[in-house]
């Protein structure tokens, strides 16, 4: 098995863990731009879960703009799991297609930056 990761400290802190399990790691520059499309899907999912609104408790909450505009993160693992599954199902095919179509532009930007970071 071969693994590719971005050499973030959290991924490299226990290199013996992978070696002990005969997992090879692709050589990859540290802090390189992330061109894996799933990372952008995780970011989208994270933003959606963080933006989930507090459900109204009563009719007054429905009328109160301050309550409607507040976001509340999941309070426990069960709420987090439910929010992730629900928001995953809300990602449209068009959003995924747009992400795939953006990859050529992202690769070009990294090449133009000689492998370094860019705004994409």
């Amino acid at each position: 098995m071969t693994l590719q990761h971005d050499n973030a400290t959290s991924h490299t802190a226990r290199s013996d863990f992978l070696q002990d399990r005969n997992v090879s790691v692709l050589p990859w520059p540290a802090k390189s731009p992330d061109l894996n499309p799933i990372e952008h899907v995780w970011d989208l999912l994270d933003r959606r879960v963080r933006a989930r609104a507090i459900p109204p408790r009563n009719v007054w909450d429905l009328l109160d703009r301050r309550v409607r505009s507040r976001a509340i993160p999941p309070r426990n693992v069960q709420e987090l799991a439910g929010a992730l599954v629900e928001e995953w199902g809300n990602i449209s095919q068009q959003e995924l297609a747009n992400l795939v179509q953006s990859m050529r532009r992202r690769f070009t930007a990294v090449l133009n930056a000689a492998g370094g970071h860019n705004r994409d």
Side-chain angles (χ1 to χ4, degrees):
M1 174 189 256
T2 302
L3 176 72
Q4 182 264 317
H5 61 70
D6 60 6
N7 286 321
T9 305
S10 60
H11 297 157
T12 60
R14 298 255 339 260
S15 62
D16 59 325
F17 178 85
L18 296 174
Q19 290 172 353
D20 292 347
R21 287 155 181 81
N22 295 321
V23 175
S24 61
V25 178
L26 286 174
W28 207 259
K31 299 181 181 172
S32 61
D34 202 335
L35 295 174
N36 186 340
I38 195 67
E39 296 297 335
H40 300 283
V41 177
W42 297 143
D43 179 61
L44 174 64
L45 192 59
D46 178 53
R47 286 184 281 120
R48 287 187 176 190
V49 168
R50 289 178 188 275
R52 291 170 70 92
I54 298 172
R57 293 169 296 192
N58 53 47
V59 71
W60 301 113
D61 278 358
L62 285 172
L63 300 173
D64 188 341
R65 196 174 294 154
R66 292 169 301 171
V67 172
R68 289 194 323 248
S69 65
R70 285 187 299 182
I72 185 168
R75 294 172 293 208
N76 55 49
V77 173
Q78 291 81 13
E79 286 185 9
L80 176 59
L84 289 168
V85 168
E86 184 177 334
E87 294 300 340
W88 181 267
N90 290 336
I91 298 173
S92 72
Q93 290 298 309
Q94 186 59 55
E95 288 171 300
L96 297 175
N98 290 346
L99 177 59
V100 170
Q101 291 169 0
S102 75
M103 295 313 294
R104 181 182 299 267
R105 176 181 45 83
R106 293 174 191 277
F107 285 124
T108 301
V110 169
L111 290 172
N112 289 340
H117 285 279
N118 57 74
R119 63 175 215 85
D120 284 326

